Coordinates of all heavy atoms in Angstrom, one line a residue:
L1 N 79.0 239.6 -30.7 CA 77.8 240.3 -31.4 C 78.3 240.8 -32.8 O 79.2 241.6 -32.8 CB 77.3 241.4 -30.5 CG 76.2 242.2 -31.0 CD1 75.0 241.3 -31.1 CD2 75.9 243.3 -30.0
K2 N 77.6 240.5 -33.9 CA 78.0 240.9 -35.2 C 77.0 241.7 -35.8 O 77.3 242.6 -36.6 CB 78.2 239.7 -36.0 CG 79.2 238.7 -35.6 CD 80.6 239.2 -35.9 CE 81.7 238.2 -35.6 NZ 83.0 238.7 -35.8
K3 N 75.7 241.6 -35.3 CA 74.7 242.4 -35.9 C 73.6 242.9 -34.9 O 73.3 242.3 -34.0 CB 73.8 241.5 -36.9 CG 72.8 242.2 -37.7 CD 72.2 241.2 -38.6 CE 71.2 241.7 -39.6 NZ 70.6 240.7 -40.5
V4 N 73.3 244.2 -35.0 CA 72.4 244.9 -34.0 C 71.0 244.8 -34.7 O 70.7 245.1 -35.8 CB 72.7 246.3 -33.7 CG1 71.7 247.0 -32.8 CG2 74.1 246.5 -33.2
K5 N 70.0 244.2 -33.9 CA 68.7 244.0 -34.4 C 67.8 245.0 -33.6 O 68.2 245.7 -32.8 CB 68.3 242.5 -34.1 CG 69.1 241.5 -35.0 CD 68.5 240.2 -34.8 CE 69.3 239.2 -35.6 NZ 68.7 237.8 -35.7
F6 N 66.5 244.9 -34.1 CA 65.5 245.9 -33.6 C 65.3 245.8 -32.1 O 65.2 244.7 -31.5 CB 64.2 245.6 -34.3 CG 63.0 246.4 -33.8 CD1 62.9 247.7 -34.2 CD2 62.1 245.9 -33.0 CE1 61.9 248.5 -33.8 CE2 61.0 246.7 -32.6 CZ 60.9 248.0 -33.0
F7 N 65.4 247.0 -31.4 CA 65.0 247.0 -30.0 C 63.6 247.4 -29.9 O 63.2 248.5 -30.4 CB 65.9 248.1 -29.2 CG 67.4 247.7 -28.9 CD1 68.3 248.0 -29.9 CD2 67.6 246.9 -28.0 CE1 69.6 247.6 -29.7 CE2 68.9 246.5 -27.7 CZ 69.9 246.9 -28.6
N8 N 62.8 246.6 -29.1 CA 61.3 247.0 -28.8 C 61.3 247.9 -27.7 O 61.6 247.6 -26.5 CB 60.6 245.6 -28.6 CG 59.1 245.8 -28.5 OD1 58.7 246.9 -28.1 ND2 58.3 244.9 -28.8
S9 N 60.7 249.1 -28.0 CA 60.6 250.1 -26.9 C 59.6 249.7 -25.7 O 59.8 250.2 -24.7 CB 60.0 251.4 -27.5 OG 58.8 251.3 -28.0
K10 N 58.9 248.7 -25.9 CA 57.9 248.3 -24.9 C 58.7 247.5 -23.8 O 58.3 247.3 -22.8 CB 56.9 247.5 -25.4 CG 55.8 248.3 -26.4 CD 54.9 247.4 -26.9 CE 53.8 248.2 -27.8 NZ 53.8 247.8 -29.1
K11 N 59.8 247.0 -24.2 CA 60.7 246.2 -23.3 C 61.8 247.1 -22.7 O 62.3 246.8 -21.6 CB 61.2 245.1 -23.9 CG 60.2 244.1 -24.3 CD 60.8 242.8 -25.0 CE 59.8 241.9 -25.4 NZ 60.4 240.7 -26.0
F12 N 62.3 248.1 -23.4 CA 63.4 248.9 -23.1 C 63.2 250.3 -22.9 O 62.5 250.9 -23.8 CB 64.5 248.7 -24.2 CG 65.0 247.3 -24.3 CD1 64.5 246.6 -25.4 CD2 65.8 246.7 -23.4 CE1 64.9 245.4 -25.7 CE2 66.3 245.4 -23.6 CZ 65.8 244.7 -24.8
Y13 N 63.6 250.9 -21.8 CA 63.6 252.4 -21.7 C 65.0 252.8 -21.4 O 65.6 252.6 -20.3 CB 62.7 252.8 -20.4 CG 62.8 254.3 -20.3 CD1 61.8 255.1 -21.0 CD2 63.7 255.0 -19.5 CE1 61.8 256.5 -20.8 CE2 63.6 256.3 -19.4 CZ 62.7 257.0 -20.0 OH 62.7 258.4 -20.0
L14 N 65.7 253.1 -22.4 CA 67.2 253.4 -22.3 C 67.5 254.8 -22.6 O 66.9 255.4 -23.6 CB 67.9 252.4 -23.4 CG 67.9 251.0 -23.3 CD1 68.6 250.4 -24.5 CD2 68.5 250.5 -22.0
N15 N 68.5 255.3 -21.9 CA 69.0 256.6 -22.2 C 70.4 256.5 -22.6 O 71.0 257.4 -23.1 CB 68.7 257.7 -21.1 CG 69.4 257.3 -19.8 OD1 70.2 256.4 -19.8 ND2 69.1 257.9 -18.8
S16 N 71.1 255.4 -22.4 CA 72.5 255.1 -22.8 C 72.6 253.6 -23.2 O 72.1 252.7 -22.6 CB 73.4 255.3 -21.5 OG 74.7 255.2 -21.9
L17 N 73.4 253.5 -24.3 CA 73.5 252.2 -24.9 C 75.1 252.0 -25.3 O 75.5 252.8 -26.2 CB 72.6 251.9 -26.1 CG 72.7 250.6 -26.8 CD1 72.3 249.5 -26.0 CD2 71.8 250.6 -28.1
N18 N 75.6 251.0 -24.8 CA 77.1 250.8 -25.1 C 77.3 249.4 -25.8 O 77.1 248.4 -25.2 CB 77.9 250.8 -23.8 CG 79.5 250.8 -24.1 OD1 79.8 250.4 -25.2 ND2 80.2 251.4 -23.2
L19 N 77.6 249.5 -27.0 CA 77.9 248.4 -27.8 C 79.2 248.3 -28.5 O 79.6 247.7 -29.5 CB 76.8 248.3 -29.0 CG 75.3 248.1 -28.5 CD1 74.4 248.3 -29.8 CD2 75.2 246.7 -28.0
S20 N 80.2 249.0 -27.7 CA 81.6 249.0 -28.1 C 82.2 247.7 -28.0 O 81.9 246.7 -27.3 CB 82.3 250.0 -27.2 OG 81.7 251.2 -27.3
F21 N 83.3 247.4 -28.8 CA 84.0 246.3 -28.8 C 83.4 245.0 -29.1 O 83.6 244.0 -28.4 CB 84.9 246.2 -27.4 CG 85.8 247.3 -27.1 CD1 85.3 248.5 -26.4 CD2 87.2 247.4 -27.6 CE1 86.2 249.6 -26.0 CE2 87.9 248.4 -27.4 CZ 87.5 249.5 -26.7
N22 N 82.6 245.1 -30.1 CA 81.8 243.8 -30.4 C 81.9 243.4 -31.7 O 81.2 242.3 -32.1 CB 80.2 244.1 -30.2 CG 79.9 244.1 -28.8 OD1 79.9 243.0 -28.1 ND2 79.5 245.1 -28.2
D23 N 82.7 243.8 -32.6 CA 82.9 243.4 -33.9 C 81.6 243.5 -34.8 O 81.3 242.7 -35.7 CB 83.4 241.9 -34.1 CG 84.9 241.9 -33.6 OD1 85.6 242.8 -33.7 OD2 85.1 240.8 -33.1
I24 N 80.8 244.6 -34.5 CA 79.7 244.7 -35.2 C 79.8 245.2 -36.6 O 80.6 246.2 -36.8 CB 78.6 245.8 -34.6 CG1 78.3 245.2 -33.1 CG2 77.4 246.1 -35.3 CD1 77.6 246.2 -32.2
T25 N 79.3 244.5 -37.6 CA 79.5 244.8 -38.9 C 78.2 245.5 -39.6 O 78.3 246.1 -40.6 CB 79.9 243.7 -39.7 OG1 78.8 242.7 -39.7 CG2 81.2 243.2 -39.4
E26 N 77.1 245.2 -38.9 CA 75.7 245.7 -39.5 C 74.8 246.1 -38.4 O 74.7 245.5 -37.4 CB 75.2 244.6 -40.4 CG 73.9 245.0 -41.0 CD 73.4 243.8 -41.8 OE1 74.0 242.8 -42.0 OE2 72.3 244.0 -42.3
I27 N 74.1 247.2 -38.6 CA 73.0 247.6 -37.8 C 71.8 247.5 -38.7 O 71.7 248.1 -39.7 CB 73.2 249.0 -37.3 CG1 74.3 249.1 -36.5 CG2 71.9 249.4 -36.5 CD1 74.7 250.6 -36.0
E28 N 70.7 246.7 -38.2 CA 69.4 246.7 -39.1 C 68.8 248.0 -39.2 O 68.8 248.8 -38.2 CB 68.5 245.6 -38.4 CG 68.9 244.2 -38.7 CD 67.9 243.2 -38.3 OE1 66.9 243.6 -37.7 OE2 68.1 242.1 -38.3
K29 N 68.2 248.3 -40.2 CA 67.5 249.5 -40.3 C 66.5 249.8 -39.3 O 65.7 248.9 -38.9 CB 66.7 249.4 -41.8 CG 66.0 250.7 -42.1 CD 65.3 250.6 -43.5 CE 64.5 251.8 -43.8 NZ 63.9 251.8 -45.1
E30 N 66.5 251.0 -38.7 CA 65.6 251.4 -37.7 C 65.7 250.7 -36.3 O 64.8 250.5 -35.6 CB 64.1 251.5 -38.2 CG 64.0 252.4 -39.3 CD 62.6 252.4 -39.9 OE1 61.7 251.7 -39.4 OE2 62.3 253.2 -40.8
S31 N 67.0 250.1 -36.0 CA 67.1 249.3 -34.9 C 66.8 250.1 -33.6 O 66.4 249.6 -32.7 CB 68.5 248.7 -34.8 OG 68.8 247.6 -35.7
F32 N 67.1 251.4 -33.7 CA 66.8 252.2 -32.5 C 65.8 253.1 -32.5 O 65.6 254.0 -31.7 CB 68.1 253.0 -32.3 CG 69.4 252.4 -32.3 CD1 70.5 252.6 -33.2 CD2 69.7 251.3 -31.4 CE1 71.7 251.8 -33.3 CE2 70.9 250.6 -31.4 CZ 71.9 251.0 -32.3
V33 N 64.9 253.0 -33.6 CA 63.8 254.0 -33.9 C 62.9 254.2 -32.8 O 62.4 255.2 -32.5 CB 63.1 253.6 -35.2 CG1 62.1 252.4 -35.1 CG2 62.3 254.7 -35.7
D34 N 62.5 253.2 -32.0 CA 61.7 253.3 -30.8 C 62.4 253.7 -29.5 O 61.7 253.9 -28.5 CB 60.8 252.0 -30.6 CG 59.8 251.8 -31.6 OD1 59.4 252.8 -32.2 OD2 59.3 250.6 -31.9
L35 N 63.6 253.9 -29.5 CA 64.3 254.3 -28.3 C 64.4 255.8 -28.3 O 65.6 256.3 -28.4 CB 65.7 253.5 -28.2 CG 65.8 252.1 -28.2 CD1 67.1 251.5 -28.2 CD2 64.9 251.5 -27.0
I36 N 63.4 256.5 -28.3 CA 63.3 257.8 -28.5 C 63.9 258.6 -27.2 O 64.3 259.8 -27.6 CB 61.8 258.4 -28.7 CG1 61.0 258.0 -27.4 CG2 61.2 257.8 -29.9 CD1 59.7 258.7 -27.4
N37 N 64.2 257.9 -26.2 CA 64.9 258.7 -25.0 C 66.4 258.5 -25.0 O 67.0 258.9 -24.1 CB 64.2 258.2 -23.8 CG 62.7 258.6 -23.6 OD1 62.5 259.8 -23.7 ND2 61.9 257.7 -23.5
L38 N 66.8 257.8 -26.0 CA 68.3 257.4 -26.1 C 69.1 258.7 -26.3 O 68.8 259.6 -27.1 CB 68.6 256.5 -27.2 CG 69.8 255.7 -27.2 CD1 69.9 254.9 -26.0 CD2 69.8 254.9 -28.5
E39 N 70.0 259.0 -25.4 CA 70.9 260.1 -25.4 C 72.3 259.8 -25.8 O 72.9 260.6 -26.4 CB 70.9 260.8 -24.0 CG 69.6 261.3 -23.5 CD 69.6 261.9 -22.1 OE1 70.7 262.0 -21.6 OE2 68.5 262.3 -21.6
D40 N 72.8 258.6 -25.4 CA 74.2 258.4 -25.6 C 74.2 256.9 -26.2 O 73.7 256.0 -25.8 CB 75.0 258.3 -24.2 CG 74.9 259.5 -23.4 OD1 74.9 260.6 -24.0 OD2 74.7 259.4 -22.2
V41 N 75.0 256.9 -27.3 CA 75.2 255.5 -28.0 C 76.8 255.5 -28.2 O 77.4 256.4 -28.9 CB 74.6 255.5 -29.4 CG1 74.8 254.3 -30.2 CG2 73.1 255.8 -29.3
Y42 N 77.3 254.4 -27.8 CA 78.7 254.0 -28.0 C 78.8 252.8 -28.9 O 78.5 251.7 -28.5 CB 79.3 253.7 -26.6 CG 79.1 254.8 -25.6 CD1 78.1 254.8 -24.8 CD2 80.0 255.8 -25.5 CE1 77.8 256.0 -23.9 CE2 79.9 257.0 -24.6 CZ 78.8 257.0 -23.8 OH 78.6 258.1 -22.9
L43 N 79.5 253.1 -30.1 CA 79.7 252.0 -30.9 C 81.1 251.9 -31.4 O 81.4 251.4 -32.5 CB 78.8 252.3 -32.3 CG 77.2 252.0 -32.0 CD1 76.5 252.7 -33.2 CD2 77.0 250.5 -32.0
Q44 N 82.0 252.5 -30.5 CA 83.4 252.5 -31.2 C 83.9 251.1 -31.1 O 83.6 250.2 -30.4 CB 84.2 253.5 -30.2 CG 84.4 253.2 -28.7 CD 83.4 254.0 -27.9 OE1 82.2 254.1 -28.3 NE2 83.8 254.4 -26.7
F45 N 85.1 250.9 -31.8 CA 85.8 249.7 -32.0 C 85.0 248.5 -32.4 O 84.9 247.5 -31.8 CB 86.5 249.3 -30.5 CG 87.6 250.4 -30.1 CD1 87.3 251.3 -29.4 CD2 88.9 250.2 -30.6 CE1 88.3 252.3 -29.0 CE2 89.9 251.1 -30.4 CZ 89.6 252.2 -29.4
N46 N 84.3 248.8 -33.5 CA 83.5 247.7 -34.1 C 84.0 247.8 -35.6 O 85.1 248.2 -35.9 CB 82.0 248.1 -34.1 CG 81.5 247.7 -32.7 OD1 81.4 246.5 -32.4 ND2 81.0 248.7 -32.0
K47 N 83.2 247.1 -36.5 CA 83.6 247.0 -37.9 C 82.6 247.6 -38.8 O 82.4 247.1 -39.9 CB 84.0 245.5 -38.2 CG 85.1 245.0 -37.4 CD 85.4 243.6 -37.7 CE 86.7 243.2 -36.8 NZ 87.0 241.7 -37.0
L48 N 82.0 248.7 -38.4 CA 80.9 249.3 -39.2 C 81.6 250.0 -40.3 O 82.5 250.6 -40.2 CB 80.1 250.3 -38.4 CG 79.2 249.8 -37.3 CD1 78.8 251.0 -36.5 CD2 78.1 249.0 -37.9
N49 N 81.1 249.8 -41.6 CA 81.7 250.6 -42.8 C 80.6 251.6 -43.4 O 81.1 252.4 -44.1 CB 82.3 249.6 -43.8 CG 81.2 248.7 -44.3 OD1 80.1 249.0 -44.4 ND2 81.8 247.5 -44.8
T50 N 79.4 251.4 -43.1 CA 78.3 252.3 -43.7 C 77.3 252.6 -42.6 O 76.9 251.8 -42.0 CB 77.6 251.7 -44.8 OG1 78.7 251.3 -45.9 CG2 76.6 252.6 -45.5
L51 N 77.0 253.9 -42.5 CA 75.9 254.4 -41.6 C 74.7 254.6 -42.7 O 74.8 255.5 -43.5 CB 76.2 255.6 -40.9 CG 77.4 255.5 -39.9 CD1 77.4 256.7 -39.1 CD2 77.2 254.4 -38.9
K52 N 73.7 253.7 -42.6 CA 72.7 253.7 -43.6 C 71.6 254.6 -43.1 O 71.5 254.9 -42.0 CB 72.2 252.2 -43.8 CG 73.3 251.3 -44.5 CD 72.7 250.0 -44.7 CE 73.8 249.1 -45.4 NZ 73.3 247.7 -45.7
S53 N 70.7 255.0 -44.0 CA 69.5 255.7 -43.8 C 68.7 255.1 -42.7 O 68.5 253.9 -42.7 CB 68.7 255.9 -45.0 OG 69.4 256.6 -46.0
Y54 N 68.3 256.0 -41.7 CA 67.3 255.7 -40.7 C 68.0 254.9 -39.5 O 67.2 254.3 -38.6 CB 66.1 254.9 -41.2 CG 65.4 255.7 -42.3 CD1 65.4 255.3 -43.6 CD2 64.7 256.9 -42.0 CE1 64.8 256.0 -44.6 CE2 64.1 257.6 -42.9 CZ 64.1 257.2 -44.2 OH 63.6 257.9 -45.3
Y55 N 69.3 254.7 -39.6 CA 69.9 254.0 -38.4 C 69.5 254.6 -37.1 O 69.2 254.0 -36.1 CB 71.3 254.0 -38.5 CG 72.1 252.9 -39.2 CD1 71.4 251.9 -39.9 CD2 73.4 252.8 -39.1 CE1 72.0 250.9 -40.4 CE2 74.2 251.8 -39.7 CZ 73.3 250.7 -40.4 OH 74.0 249.9 -41.0
F56 N 69.6 256.0 -37.1 CA 69.3 256.7 -35.8 C 68.1 257.6 -36.0 O 68.0 258.6 -35.4 CB 70.6 257.6 -35.5 CG 71.8 256.7 -35.3 CD1 72.7 256.7 -36.2 CD2 71.9 255.9 -34.2 CE1 73.9 255.8 -36.2 CE2 73.1 255.1 -34.1 CZ 74.0 255.0 -35.1
A57 N 67.1 257.2 -36.7 CA 66.0 258.0 -36.9 C 65.1 258.2 -35.7 O 64.8 257.2 -34.9 CB 65.0 257.3 -38.0
N58 N 64.6 259.4 -35.5 CA 63.7 259.7 -34.4 C 64.3 259.6 -33.2 O 63.5 259.5 -32.1 CB 62.3 258.9 -34.6 CG 61.6 259.4 -35.9 OD1 61.7 260.5 -36.2 ND2 61.0 258.5 -36.4
I59 N 65.6 259.6 -32.9 CA 66.2 259.7 -31.6 C 66.3 261.1 -31.3 O 67.4 261.8 -31.6 CB 67.6 258.9 -31.6 CG1 67.3 257.4 -31.9 CG2 68.1 258.9 -30.2 CD1 68.7 256.7 -32.0
L60 N 65.3 261.6 -30.7 CA 65.2 263.1 -30.5 C 66.3 263.7 -29.6 O 66.6 264.9 -29.7 CB 63.8 263.5 -30.1 CG 62.7 263.1 -31.0 CD1 61.4 263.5 -30.6 CD2 62.9 263.7 -32.4
Y61 N 66.6 263.0 -28.6 CA 67.6 263.4 -27.5 C 69.0 263.0 -27.7 O 69.8 263.1 -26.8 CB 67.0 263.0 -26.2 CG 65.6 263.5 -26.0 CD1 64.5 262.6 -26.0 CD2 65.3 264.9 -25.7 CE1 63.3 263.1 -25.9 CE2 64.0 265.2 -25.5 CZ 63.0 264.3 -25.7 OH 61.7 264.8 -25.5
L62 N 69.4 262.4 -28.8 CA 70.7 261.9 -29.0 C 71.7 263.1 -28.9 O 71.6 264.0 -29.6 CB 70.8 261.3 -30.4 CG 72.2 260.6 -30.7 CD1 72.5 259.5 -29.8 CD2 72.3 260.3 -32.2
R63 N 72.6 263.0 -28.0 CA 73.6 264.0 -27.7 C 75.1 263.5 -27.9 O 75.9 264.3 -28.2 CB 73.4 264.7 -26.4 CG 73.6 263.8 -25.3 CD 73.2 264.5 -23.8 NE 73.3 263.5 -22.9 CZ 74.3 263.6 -22.0 NH1 75.3 264.5 -22.1 NH2 74.5 262.6 -21.0
V64 N 75.2 262.2 -27.7 CA 76.6 261.6 -27.9 C 76.6 260.4 -28.7 O 75.7 259.5 -28.5 CB 77.2 261.2 -26.5 CG1 78.5 260.5 -26.6 CG2 77.3 262.4 -25.5
L65 N 77.4 260.4 -29.8 CA 77.5 259.2 -30.6 C 78.9 258.9 -30.8 O 79.6 259.7 -31.5 CB 76.7 259.5 -31.9 CG 76.9 258.4 -33.0 CD1 76.3 257.1 -32.5 CD2 76.1 258.9 -34.3
H66 N 79.4 257.9 -30.3 CA 80.8 257.6 -30.4 C 80.9 256.4 -31.5 O 80.5 255.3 -31.3 CB 81.4 256.9 -29.0 CG 81.6 258.0 -28.0 ND1 82.8 258.8 -28.0 CD2 80.8 258.4 -27.0 CE1 82.7 259.6 -27.1 NE2 81.5 259.4 -26.4
L67 N 81.7 256.8 -32.5 CA 81.9 255.9 -33.7 C 83.3 255.7 -34.0 O 83.7 255.1 -35.0 CB 81.2 256.5 -34.9 CG 79.7 256.4 -34.8 CD1 79.2 257.4 -35.9 CD2 79.2 255.1 -34.8
S68 N 84.3 256.1 -33.2 CA 85.7 256.0 -33.5 C 86.2 254.6 -33.7 O 85.5 253.7 -33.1 CB 86.5 256.7 -32.4 OG 86.4 256.1 -31.1
N69 N 87.2 254.4 -34.4 CA 87.8 253.1 -34.6 C 86.8 252.0 -35.2 O 86.8 250.9 -34.8 CB 88.4 252.5 -33.3 CG 89.6 253.4 -32.8 OD1 90.5 253.4 -33.5 ND2 89.3 254.0 -31.8
N70 N 86.1 252.5 -36.3 CA 85.3 251.7 -37.1 C 85.9 251.8 -38.5 O 87.0 252.5 -38.6 CB 83.9 252.1 -37.1 CG 83.0 251.6 -35.9 OD1 82.7 250.5 -36.0 ND2 82.9 252.4 -35.0
L71 N 85.3 251.2 -39.4 CA 85.8 251.3 -40.9 C 84.8 252.1 -41.7 O 84.6 251.8 -42.9 CB 86.0 249.8 -41.4 CG 86.9 248.9 -40.4 CD1 86.7 247.5 -40.9 CD2 88.2 249.3 -40.5
I72 N 84.3 253.2 -41.3 CA 83.2 253.9 -41.9 C 83.8 254.6 -43.2 O 84.7 255.4 -43.1 CB 82.6 255.0 -40.9 CG1 82.0 254.3 -39.8 CG2 81.7 255.9 -41.6 CD1 81.6 255.1 -38.6
L73 N 83.2 254.3 -44.3 CA 83.4 254.8 -45.6 C 82.4 255.8 -46.0 O 82.6 256.6 -46.9 CB 83.8 253.8 -46.6 CG 84.9 252.8 -46.2 CD1 84.9 251.6 -47.2 CD2 86.3 253.6 -46.2
S74 N 81.2 255.6 -45.6 CA 80.0 256.4 -46.1 C 78.9 256.5 -45.0 O 78.8 255.6 -44.2 CB 79.5 255.8 -47.4 OG 78.9 254.5 -47.2
I75 N 78.3 257.6 -45.2 CA 77.1 257.9 -44.4 C 76.0 258.3 -45.3 O 76.1 259.3 -46.0 CB 77.4 259.1 -43.3 CG1 78.5 258.6 -42.4 CG2 76.2 259.4 -42.6 CD1 79.0 259.8 -41.5
E76 N 75.0 257.6 -45.3 CA 73.8 257.7 -46.2 C 73.1 259.0 -45.8 O 73.0 259.3 -44.6 CB 73.0 256.4 -46.4 CG 73.8 255.3 -47.1 CD 72.8 254.1 -47.2 OE1 71.6 254.2 -46.9 OE2 73.3 253.1 -47.8
T77 N 72.3 259.6 -46.7 CA 71.5 260.6 -46.3 C 70.4 260.0 -45.4 O 70.0 258.8 -45.5 CB 70.8 261.2 -47.5 OG1 70.1 260.2 -48.3 CG2 71.8 261.9 -48.4
K78 N 69.7 260.7 -44.6 CA 68.7 260.4 -43.7 C 69.1 259.4 -42.6 O 68.3 258.8 -41.9 CB 67.4 259.9 -44.4 CG 66.9 260.9 -45.4 CD 65.6 260.4 -46.0 CE 65.0 261.4 -46.9 NZ 63.8 260.9 -47.6
T79 N 70.4 259.4 -42.3 CA 70.9 258.5 -41.2 C 70.3 259.0 -39.9 O 70.0 258.2 -39.0 CB 72.5 258.5 -41.2 OG1 73.0 257.9 -42.4 CG2 73.0 257.7 -40.0
F80 N 70.2 260.3 -39.8 CA 69.7 260.8 -38.4 C 68.3 261.5 -38.8 O 68.0 262.6 -38.1 CB 70.8 261.9 -38.1 CG 72.0 261.4 -37.7 CD1 73.0 261.4 -38.8 CD2 72.4 260.6 -36.5 CE1 74.3 260.9 -38.5 CE2 73.5 260.1 -36.3 CZ 74.6 260.1 -37.4
W81 N 67.6 261.0 -39.7 CA 66.3 261.6 -40.0 C 65.3 261.7 -38.8 O 65.1 260.6 -38.1 CB 65.7 260.8 -41.1 CG 64.3 261.4 -41.7 CD1 63.1 261.0 -41.5 CD2 64.2 262.4 -42.6 NE1 62.2 261.6 -42.1 CE2 62.9 262.5 -42.9 CE3 65.2 263.2 -43.2 CZ2 62.4 263.6 -43.8 CZ3 64.6 264.2 -44.1 CH2 63.3 264.3 -44.5
N82 N 64.8 262.9 -38.7 CA 63.6 263.0 -37.6 C 62.3 263.4 -38.3 O 62.3 264.4 -39.1 CB 64.1 264.0 -36.6 CG 65.1 263.6 -35.8 OD1 65.2 262.4 -35.3 ND2 66.1 264.5 -35.5
N83 N 61.3 262.6 -38.2 CA 60.0 262.8 -38.8 C 59.3 264.1 -38.0 O 59.3 264.2 -36.9 CB 59.1 261.7 -38.7 CG 59.6 260.6 -39.6 OD1 60.4 261.0 -40.6 ND2 59.4 259.4 -39.4

């Protein structure tokens, strides 16, 4: 898995998502926007270098975000924007 695409909330009711150890280099804008009940996101040991605006937008219950062992150089404003 190299790229995370949009998750349709009509198909998924998730509170935990583990995408660790996948060589992910990119997350599409607002991929998790409809997963409003998501609490835990595990993205460690990937190849992310930028956290772009709206990656985690409107995830109101996010409490755990694991990003260790990535190549993160920048975090854009509004990455965690809540409307």
Side-chain angles (χ1 to χ4, degrees):
L1 182 64
K2 299 281 185 190
K3 185 176 184 179
V4 177
K5 296 186 178 184
F6 178 75
F7 285 96
N8 185 333
S9 66
K10 293 178 177 121
K11 295 181 182 178
F12 299 103
Y13 181 89
L14 297 176
N15 61 11
S16 183
L17 180 63
N18 190 338
L19 295 171
S20 302
F21 297 95
N22 277 296
D23 291 328
I24 296 170
T25 58
E26 181 180 355
I27 299 173
E28 285 187 1
K29 183 178 179 182
E30 299 179 354
S31 289
F32 308 121
V33 73
D34 284 337
L35 298 176
I36 59 170
N37 294 303
L38 200 56
E39 295 178 9
D40 307 318
V41 179
Y42 302 92
L43 288 164
Q44 64 266 37
F45 293 95
N46 282 293
K47 295 181 180 174
L48 295 169
N49 61 24
T50 302
L51 297 182
K52 296 184 180 178
S53 295
Y54 306 106
Y55 267 11
F56 303 104
N58 294 324
I59 303 178
L60 303 177
Y61 303 106
L62 185 64
R63 61 186 179 105
V64 175
L65 177 61
H66 287 278
L67 293 166
S68 63
N69 294 291
N70 276 283
L71 306 170
I72 298 172
L73 299 173
S74 67
I75 299 173
E76 293 182 4
T77 58
K78 298 184 181 179
T79 298
F80 301 98
W81 185 259
N82 292 317
N83 293 330

